[in-house]
Amino acid sequence: MSSPLLDWFAPCPRGLEAPLAAELDEIGDRHVDNAPVPSGALSVGAQVPGGVHFRGSWVAGMAANLHSRIASRVLLKIAQGQYRNEHDIYDLTHRQRWKQWFTPNQTMRVDLTAIKSPVKSLEFTTLRVKDAVCDRLREVAGARPSIDTAQPDVRVFAFLTANECTLYLDTSGEPLFKRGWRLDKGAAPLRENLAAGILRLTGWTPGTPLFDPMCGSGTFLAEAAQTALDIAPGMERRFGFEKLKPFQPMTWQKLREAAFQARNAAFAAQPDLNIFGSDISGDMLEKARANLNRAGIPRLMLKQLDERNMTPPTDAPGILIANPPYGERIEVRRRGPRGEIRDTGRFRREDEEAFERAQPDPADTEFFISLGNALKQRFPGWRAYVLTSDRKLPGLMRLRESTKTPLFNGALKCRLFRFDLIAGSVRNRPAGDQPAE
Ligand SMILES: C[S@@+](CC[C@H](N)C(=O)[O-])C[C@H]1O[C@@H](n2cnc3c(N)ncnc32)[C@H](O)[C@@H]1O
């Protein structure tokens, strides 16, 4: 599985394309250029909404799967062509040499995403892609693969624009945010790759104090501590490429061994992690402890504490990161007139708009005023980052943000607000800017 060079696409949560491109570049420098097997280079290509293109050998694809904290998957591009209708898509798919990738004895599933595509039915087009793969395999290998939508051996992705169809093979299998360490979920856990991307957006680097005062199941803590301890995010899981025909187990074994050695070297150096978490809920802290344990992280300092009473865990200022419990209140507000929960998965636009207009309830207001006060009074010199779907949050906290970065937590549009808590004189909102009390 070394050369030739192949085209890859790594999807990611929207808003994290630039951090993912930077991460892939680092993976290239660190794990592909220095791979223990001949590997070529990894060159990062265009960033598009929701992902980053890159080029490289199979080693680059495997290294991206093993080491990327931000990508949701790593897809191998196998064909691209113009189309006008479903027949053209069938023909393009049917022309591909599927037999070189997998056998008819393996199960598969097809997924299709489209932007501005003229096709009438995405379901029908997905079926045509599936038929084309099955027909081709039956013609050349004498049998067709079975479909398994739950746990397929092989996943084929089709991506349609207005006139172009791209076919990908998924090399990840389960999405990459499933690292294998999370069994205890807690109330509203962040996806691991969103947390990792946010950490990168904050500019945090290992050794700098990091404090999550509403740590929940410990996602930020686990991602940061694994980074500091050089624990590859994919070390404990399996990948889709292991089921593809070109898979070379020896090469993969060498990449994994190199990752284990890097982790052992980092542990031997006994770094001072300087990573701290607290939460008001003892149950959540138990879940966080269990998750951190499974993620291979030695005991971190976790404290049961109301954010109102929080104090800096270190003398030196650092980075505070928080994902307050606003999302759970959104769920409550999304109940229908008779209290029924509506649209728990995807929210309806009118619900979104009604929510945007809604005034914060008194409990929210009190919570965020005290969070703002705690930051202003006790965290001079720190940089605080708060992820929320509520764009009025800086007003509620009586603080002015330095930056705000739009991000998507699943389908929910969020913002990552940055507050610079300047020692001596906090950047408060001017009086006229403050919401009425
Ligand atoms: C959205 S969850 C955070 C999820 C976390 N980022 C994760 O990935 O698991 C919000 C957390 O805030 C905690 N919390 C709520 N009120 C709090 C308070 N007053 N002080 C500290 N933590 C609080 C909840 O227990 C919950 O764990």
Side-chain angles (χ1 to χ4, degrees):
M1 265 196 190
S2 53
S3 45
L5 293 185
L6 303 159
D7 288 315
W8 304 86
F9 180 66
C12 66
R14 270 192 293 157
L16 292 182
E17 296 84 1
L20 172 59
E23 183 190 58
L24 287 169
D25 212 28
E26 278 173 27
I27 291 172
D29 287 350
R30 195 165 165 220
H31 303 290
V32 180
D33 292 354
N34 295 318
V37 283
S39 58
L42 184 161
S43 43
V44 179
Q47 297 171 33
V48 295
V52 178
H53 293 275
F54 67 98
R55 254 190 142 219
S57 64
W58 264 108
V59 170
M62 288 192 285
N65 270 299
L66 177 59
H67 292 287
S68 176
R69 295 193 168 275
I70 304 176
S72 309
R73 294 180 175 279
V74 176
L75 307 178
L76 171 63
K77 181 169 153 186
I78 52 171
Q80 189 165 52
Q82 303 278 313
Y83 79 95
R84 275 163 305 163
N85 52 39
E86 295 83 347
H87 304 300
D88 296 337
I89 294 171
Y90 178 95
D91 289 343
L92 174 75
T93 312
H94 187 260
R95 275 200 303 277
Q96 306 313 314
R97 300 171 62 205
W98 296 102
K99 197 179 143 196
Q100 81 181 59
W101 302 113
F102 60 100
T103 76
N105 300 330
Q106 291 174 289
T107 57
M108 74 153 189
R109 92 173 249 168
V110 174
D111 288 279
L112 183 138
T113 317
I115 297 174
K116 296 186 185 149
S117 167
V119 300
K120 289 196 193 68
S121 157
L122 294 184
E123 277 98 306
F124 177 70
T125 313
T126 309
L127 285 178
R128 293 306 286 152
V129 173
K130 187 260 299 169
D131 287 344
V133 179
C134 290
D135 291 351
R136 173 74 189 219
L137 272 171
R138 191 173 39 214
E139 285 156 26
V140 297
R144 45 164 294 165
S146 308
I147 302 302
D148 180 346
T149 51
Q151 292 202 305
D153 295 322
V154 178
R155 290 165 200 254
V156 174
F157 280 87
F159 177 64
L160 307 181
T161 59
N163 57 0
E164 206 163 49
C165 169
T166 311
L167 297 171
Y168 295 101
L169 265 179
D170 173 36
T171 64
S172 301
E174 288 286 315
L176 294 181
F177 65 80
K178 296 194 177 174
R179 319 277 201 229
W181 54 255
R182 185 195 291 288
L183 296 181
D184 287 316
K185 285 208 173 104
L190 280 182
R191 284 199 172 158
E192 291 75 351
N193 60 338
L194 179 58
I198 289 172
L199 277 172
R200 193 172 266 263
L201 282 173
T202 69
W204 173 81
T205 48
T208 305
L210 183 79
F211 176 35
D212 179 352
M214 289 167 242
C215 69
S217 61
T219 318
F220 282 126
L221 308 178
E223 289 300 315
Q226 281 203 335
T227 304
L229 290 167
D230 219 347
I231 301 176
M235 200 116 105
E236 301 296 341
R237 53 162 281 163
R238 310 298 300 259
F239 294 94
F241 59 72
E242 295 175 60
K243 295 195 169 160
L244 296 177
K245 271 191 185 172
F247 177 54
Q248 288 179 359
M250 295 300 283
T251 306
W252 173 228
Q253 200 44 41
K254 284 187 182 145
L255 288 184
R256 287 192 81 219
E257 268 164 25
F260 277 112
Q261 277 164 17
R263 183 204 57 182
N264 293 345
F267 267 77
Q270 297 188 322
D272 198 352
L273 291 183
N274 263 336
I275 296 171
F276 308 87
S278 58
D279 199 284
I280 198 167
S281 154
D283 284 353
M284 290 309 297
L285 292 176
E286 276 313 303
K287 292 183 199 302
R289 273 193 196 100
N291 284 332
L292 289 165
N293 196 24
R294 273 188 298 268
I297 296 153
R299 266 188 106 69
L300 288 186
M301 180 78 89
L302 299 184
K303 250 192 190 171
Q304 187 171 0
L305 196 67
D306 189 323
E307 51 89 10
R308 279 163 264 237
N309 304 323
M310 67 183 179
T311 50
T314 51
D315 291 337
I319 292 178
L320 181 146
I321 194 158
N323 162 217
Y326 215 91
E328 290 141 50
R329 292 187 183 155
I330 292 171
E331 289 294 338
V332 174
R333 283 186 186 161
R334 286 180 194 286
R335 284 174 188 273
R338 287 176 300 284
E340 77 279 15
I341 295 176
R342 302 188 327 202
D343 289 321
T344 46
R346 282 170 177 266
F347 304 136
R348 291 215 315 253
R349 174 150 286 282
E350 54 266 40
D351 290 344
E352 285 286 356
E353 284 163 4
F355 174 67
E356 294 288 355
R357 286 194 304 272
Q359 293 301 307
D361 66 33
D364 285 345
T365 310
E366 203 277 315
F367 182 89
F368 287 110
I369 290 175
S370 46
L371 177 59
N373 285 342
L375 292 178
K376 280 183 272 191
Q377 288 159 10
R378 286 173 242 140
F379 286 80
W382 283 65
R383 232 162 53 222
Y385 290 83
V386 182
L387 178 74
T388 175
S389 57
D390 179 12
R391 60 176 175 220
K392 301 193 197 80
L393 182 117
L396 291 176
M397 287 170 64
R398 285 20 176 196
L399 278 172
R400 173 171 288 162
E401 75 273 16
S402 307
T403 59
K404 58 174 176 232
T405 308
L407 290 171
F408 280 81
N409 185 6
L412 190 63
K413 184 165 183 188
C414 294
R415 283 166 190 79
L416 179 69
F417 289 107
R418 166 178 161 180
F419 303 103
D420 291 325
L421 304 160
I422 297 161
S425 66
V426 177
R427 286 186 67 191
N428 285 333
R429 293 199 150 227
D433 239 13
Q434 297 192 1
E437 304 219 24

